């Protein structure tokens, strides 16, 4: 069984069932070029392994109501016949190539030997010429070095007894001169800041005050630390530049050739994201206020209650005698407490009451008469 005959069987079965190739493609979900290749007897499809070819052939035979096993058996016989034919062709080709190689070798062997000899002689000649060139170069370098050494030696020869100014000399004036002062770099200005070229992102940061900074360019950290005043930081990026600063007032920003205004206050944190089309600024809380000494206004925080005048007649103070505690008589000469009148706010005055101490009988006096 050859491949063409197997393809004819598939095509005749499809036509006998009155099925178009488009109906088969729609029903099997197999690409139309593959089914057409099957019916043309071409079962070797580029990029499709043989096991897949067998599976699609089984599905196509089932769709055409053919015996799947018979179709696969015919396919296997066809593959075996193709492999035998391929091997025989390969063996014949190898035999032809070997015969052709023997013929060419037998006819061109003397010429090849001559060419090989010529190649060897040319290689030896090239090596000899290279060796001679190296020898001549070494000799020329030796002569040049010898002449140079002789010339330098003659210049340094000093005749004995003929001292010259060159034999005894003081150190040159340049050695006594103070070392030059290092040039002081000028503060950055708008003239020496980078100019935007029209592509990507260019961010120029000039610090006018001292501030902590963190700069990330396309996700890679480029700077992190405290930047001094007059520090110029410039970065080019493809997608974004992120800047975090602890002192927003210290930033003088030029983004893509456009100067930005004041970003924030002194001591205020600022997080800025620069892209090619926009800049997003997020400001944090301002820095802590400077502690101040307490003032009169600061001390007057608690409410002060002032006395208010009570409407109505003013109370008239009256002298009210309040009896004190009753003294206990003793036989000592301790003076009795003086009764002090205390004014009260009682509106109705009461009669003064005087409390007299009890009579003390002195010892040794004659008794009094009763009824006296």
């Amino acid at each position: 069984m050859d491949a063409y005959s197997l393809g004819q069987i598939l095509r005749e079965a499809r036509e006998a069932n009155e099925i178009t190739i488009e109906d088969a493609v729609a029903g099997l979900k197999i690409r139309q070029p593959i089914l057409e290749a099957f019916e043309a007897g071409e079962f070797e499809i580029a990029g499709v392994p043989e096991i897949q070819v067998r599976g699609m052939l089984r599905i196509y035979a089932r769709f055409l109501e053919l015996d799947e096993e018979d179709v696969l058996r015919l396919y296997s016989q066809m593959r075996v016949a193709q492999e035998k034919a391929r091997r025989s062709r390969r063996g014949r080709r190898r035999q032809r190539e070997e015969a052709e190689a023997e013929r060419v070798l037998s006819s061109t062997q003397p010429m090849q030997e001559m060419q090989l000899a010529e190649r060897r002689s040319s290689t030896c000649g090239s090596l000899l010429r290279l060796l001679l060139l190296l020898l001549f170069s070494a000799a020329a370098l030796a002569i040049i070095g010898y002449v140079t050494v002789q010339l330098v030696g003659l210049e340094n020869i000093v005749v004995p007894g003929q001292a010259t100014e060159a034999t005894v000399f003081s150190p040159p004036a340049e050695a006594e001169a103070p070392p030059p002062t290092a040039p002081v770099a000028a503060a950055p200005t708008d003239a020496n800041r980078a100019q935007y070229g029209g592509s990507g992102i260019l961010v120029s940061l000039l610090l006018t005050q001292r501030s902590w900074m963190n700069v990330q360019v396309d996700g890679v950290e480029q700077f992190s630390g405290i930047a001094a005043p007059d520090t110029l930081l410039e970065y080019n990026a493809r997608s974004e530049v992120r800047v975090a600063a602890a002192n927003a007032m210290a930033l003088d920003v030029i983004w893509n050739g456009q100067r930005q205004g004041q970003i924030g206050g002194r001591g205020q944190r600022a997080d800025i994201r620069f892209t090619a089309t926009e800049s997003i600024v997020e400001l944090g809380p301002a820095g802590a206020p400077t502690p101040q000494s307490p003032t009169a206004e600061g001390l007057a925080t608690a409410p002060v209650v002032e006395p208010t005048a009570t409407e109505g007649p003013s109370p008239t103070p009256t002298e009210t005698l309040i009896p004190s505690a009753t003294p206990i008589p003793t036989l000592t000469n301790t003076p009795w407490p003086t009764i002090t009148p205390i004014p009260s706010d009682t509106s109705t005055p009461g009669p003064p009451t005087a409390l007299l101490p009890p009579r003390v009988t002195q010892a040794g006096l004659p008794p009094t008469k009763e009824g006296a």
Side-chain angles (χ1 to χ4, degrees):
M1 172 62 66
D2 57 354
Y4 180 76
S5 300
L6 181 57
Q8 286 290 106
I9 293 173
L10 296 175
R11 185 172 63 254
E12 291 175 357
R14 179 178 59 80
E15 292 176 352
N17 293 326
E18 297 181 355
I19 300 173
T20 62
I21 193 71
E22 290 79 9
D23 296 338
V25 170
L28 300 177
K29 305 299 180 183
I30 300 176
R31 290 179 295 170
Q32 183 173 347
I34 296 178
L35 297 181
E36 292 177 349
F38 284 173
E39 293 184 357
E42 298 176 2
F43 296 94
E44 294 183 1
I45 301 172
V48 180
E50 183 180 358
I51 187 171
Q52 261 186 323
V53 172
R54 287 179 174 274
M56 290 187 291
L57 189 60
R58 178 187 295 273
I59 294 172
Y60 194 31
R62 187 186 308 150
F63 181 77
L64 298 178
E65 298 180 358
L66 295 174
D67 191 351
E68 303 172 13
E69 299 300 330
D70 290 344
V71 171
L72 291 178
R73 186 173 58 255
L74 294 175
Y75 173 77
S76 300
Q77 294 175 0
M78 179 266 298
R79 292 290 295 175
V80 171
Q82 286 181 346
E83 187 65 25
K84 289 181 179 179
R86 189 178 296 111
R87 288 178 181 176
S88 62
R89 287 195 301 269
R90 191 181 301 118
R92 289 194 299 268
R93 188 184 305 111
R94 185 181 301 109
Q95 291 177 359
R96 288 196 302 268
E97 290 175 355
E98 291 175 356
E100 184 68 19
E102 290 177 359
R103 185 180 62 80
V104 171
L105 182 61
S106 60
S107 61
T108 60
Q109 186 173 4
M111 186 178 295
Q112 289 178 354
E113 291 178 356
M114 293 175 62
Q115 291 177 354
L116 182 60
E118 291 178 358
R119 193 176 297 115
R120 288 177 180 175
S121 61
S122 63
T123 303
C124 293
S126 300
L127 292 176
L128 182 60
R129 286 193 295 270
L130 180 60
L131 181 60
L132 292 176
L133 181 60
L134 291 176
L135 290 176
F136 282 123
S137 300
L141 290 175
I143 294 171
I144 293 172
Y146 177 75
V147 172
T148 303
V149 170
Q150 293 297 323
L151 292 175
V152 173
L154 290 175
E155 290 179 357
N156 294 332
I157 292 176
V158 179
V159 179
Q162 296 181 358
T164 61
E165 296 180 357
T167 57
V168 179
F169 60 92
S170 60
E174 291 77 0
E176 299 178 357
T181 305
V184 179
T189 60
D190 290 345
N192 56 17
R193 296 174 77 169
Q195 302 295 324
Y196 181 56
S199 62
I201 304 172
L202 175 61
V203 177
S204 177
L205 304 171
L206 177 60
L207 275 297
T208 60
Q209 299 176 6
R210 187 170 180 268
S211 174
W212 176 86
M213 299 285 298
N214 182 272
V215 183
Q216 296 184 2
V217 178
D218 292 331
V220 180
E221 184 178 79
Q222 300 293 335
F223 180 85
S224 180
I226 297 177
D230 295 332
T231 300
L232 180 61
L233 304 174
E234 294 181 333
Y235 302 97
N236 286 288
R238 293 190 302 271
S239 60
E240 67 173 6
V241 176
R242 291 183 177 269
V243 178
N247 185 5
M249 181 177 267
L251 298 181
D252 181 5
V253 183
I254 297 179
W255 163 58
N256 288 351
Q258 301 176 2
R259 182 180 294 275
Q260 309 298 304
Q262 182 175 347
I263 296 176
R266 182 180 179 85
Q268 188 173 16
R269 179 182 175 89
D271 295 299
I272 314 171
R273 178 175 177 266
F274 296 100
T275 64
T277 58
E278 62 180 356
S279 62
I280 303 173
V281 180
E282 295 181 1
L283 295 177
T290 304
Q292 300 177 354
S293 59
T295 60
E297 296 177 0
L299 293 175
T301 55
V304 178
V305 180
E306 297 182 356
T308 57
T310 306
E311 296 182 359
S314 60
T316 303
T318 59
E319 295 182 359
T320 305
L321 298 179
I322 300 175
S324 60
T326 305
I328 301 173
T330 60
L331 297 178
T332 63
N333 293 326
T334 304
W336 295 98
T338 306
I339 300 173
T340 304
I342 300 174
S344 62
D345 293 336
T346 307
S347 59
T348 305
T353 304
L355 297 177
L356 298 179
R359 180 177 298 178
V360 178
T361 304
Q362 296 184 358
L365 294 179
T368 59
K369 295 181 179 181
E370 295 180 1

